[in-house]
Amino acid sequence: MHGAMLEVRDVKKSFGGLKAVDGVSISLPRGRITLLIGPNGSGKTTLVNSITGFLRPDSGHVYLEDKEITHWPMHRICKEGMVRSFQLPAPFGGLSVLGNLLVACESACGESLLKCPLKALWKTTEKDNVREAFAMAEAMELTPYWDAVMSETSTGHIKLAEIGRALLAGAKLVILDEPICGVDPVMADEVFSFLIRLRDEQGLTFLVIEHRLDIALKYADYVYVMNQGKLIAQGSVEEVLNDSQVKEVYLGS
Ligand SMILES: Nc1ncnc2c1ncn2[C@@H]1O[C@H](COP(=O)(O)OP(=O)(O)OP(=O)(O)O)[C@@H](O)[C@H]1O
Ligand SMILES: [Mg+2]
């Protein structure tokens, strides 16, 4: 499988008679930001849903670091290191920014009754989690807002916290569905700059779905383009922008 972080082979997903994803194959190299674009309804979210265990693909195969994960449940895929965000962000609105990060900490003890007698261990873990969550808030420059109620912060902060949650959950591959939708241009560049830092400093891999091409294309290492359930182009930003089918879909020319 050439050591790719993720290999998707010939995935198909229909809703009744509608072929939402019609035989799509993509490959995500490690430590790269891959962009998935296409007009509304072209099947981008359905593809992501089908490879992250949110939906069951009708056919095809998905390999994470050469291990087949097709039809695995979402929580197991997440534990394996592939974490995704949703098109409509789902923060824990009533919690603080720090609280939103804490819920994702890999070693969070939760409410396990079995762990109650091990209070000393539990306390240490909780302290470590807070430390870890604070460090993440710092890396994302969210520290000034650490105790703000999540739902009262900006869309950009909510999107950043979502990425932070994925990282704290131990992600090595992060899939983001429209991470800068509704985010102001300055903050949108900050979100992508954060991804660039994570790619360069930690070798993380990203698959990003985005409509705001003016911003997203500046940061992409490789681009896939979907239309009507199929891939119509792939390559560098320049290659894709010069592709006649892409021009037709986006510009009608
Ligand atoms: N649960 C579902 N049931 C029926 N049809 C669906 C379902 N989910 C998606 N579709 C349809 O599948 C097609 C692909 O939708 P999808 O949401 O994957 O597109 P998308 O590329 O993510 O679009 P957008 O850019 O608007 O988010 C669309 O025609 C959509 O209406
Ligand atoms: Mg979508």
Side-chain angles (χ1 to χ4, degrees):
M1 230 76 35
H2 321 299
M5 175 57 79
L6 187 81
E7 281 282 341
V8 176
R9 293 272 173 87
D10 201 19
V11 163
K12 295 184 180 170
K13 179 72 191 175
S14 291
F15 299 109
L18 176 79
K19 292 179 177 173
V21 176
D22 192 10
V24 171
S25 300
I26 62 172
S27 177
L28 305 186
R30 284 162 205 275
R32 293 283 179 273
I33 297 176
T34 303
L35 192 63
L36 175 60
I37 63 172
N40 290 118
S42 54
K44 304 177 300 294
T45 298
T46 306
L47 176 68
V48 163
N49 285 342
S50 303
I51 61 186
T52 53
F54 190 73
L55 283 177
R56 200 179 159 82
D58 300 331
S59 61
H61 299 274
V62 185
Y63 302 89
L64 183 63
E65 295 188 304
D66 293 346
K67 188 187 278 187
E68 176 143 26
I69 58 162
T70 323
H71 301 319
W72 279 25
M74 203 167 176
H75 66 89
R76 200 170 155 212
I77 290 177
C78 187
K79 272 208 162 134
E80 201 68 27
M82 175 156 78
V83 182
R84 54 98 43 107
S85 74
F86 286 87
Q87 192 162 354
L88 299 171
F92 297 92
L95 292 183
S96 65
V97 169
L98 190 71
N100 266 269
L101 295 173
L102 270 172
V103 287
C105 282
E106 217 181 352
S107 47
C109 279
E111 306 265 305
S112 168
L113 268 179
L114 286 173
K115 284 179 179 153
C116 284
L118 305 169
K119 198 173 168 194
L121 170 68
W122 178 78
K123 272 190 156 174
T124 322
T125 315
E126 282 295 295
K127 265 190 192 164
D128 289 346
N129 286 343
V130 172
R131 225 171 269 138
E132 215 182 330
F134 244 111
M136 182 59 70
E138 210 160 27
M140 298 184 300
E141 292 170 19
L142 283 178
T143 3
Y145 316 97
W146 72 271
D147 62 346
V149 176
M150 194 78 246
S151 59
E152 289 170 10
T153 62
S154 72
T155 314
H157 291 134
I158 291 174
K159 299 281 189 177
L160 271 176
E162 254 197 317
I163 299 168
R165 278 214 304 271
L167 300 175
L168 288 166
K172 43 196 171 191
L173 163 58
V174 184
I175 302 185
L176 300 168
D177 199 346
E178 302 197 30
I180 55 168
C181 177
V183 176
D184 72 74
V186 175
M187 191 76 189
D189 271 312
E190 277 177 31
V191 170
F192 268 101
S193 302
F194 184 52
L195 302 190
I196 293 282
R197 259 172 50 214
L198 293 165
R199 177 197 67 185
D200 294 345
E201 291 169 15
Q202 298 184 34
L204 292 180
T205 307
F206 294 93
L207 174 63
V208 181
I209 296 177
E210 196 43 70
H211 277 296
R212 289 174 68 185
L213 303 188
D214 54 330
I215 292 174
L217 287 173
K218 287 190 283 184
Y219 301 94
D221 294 310
Y222 198 81
V223 187
Y224 285 101
V225 190
M226 282 183 78
N227 189 35
Q228 296 182 343
K230 290 182 188 288
L231 274 185
I232 57 162
Q234 60 175 291
S236 66
V237 171
E238 209 186 336
E239 283 166 341
V240 157
L241 287 180
N242 285 317
D243 185 280
S244 55
Q245 264 185 287
V246 176
K247 282 185 187 167
E248 198 181 315
V249 162
Y250 274 101
L251 305 171
S253 60

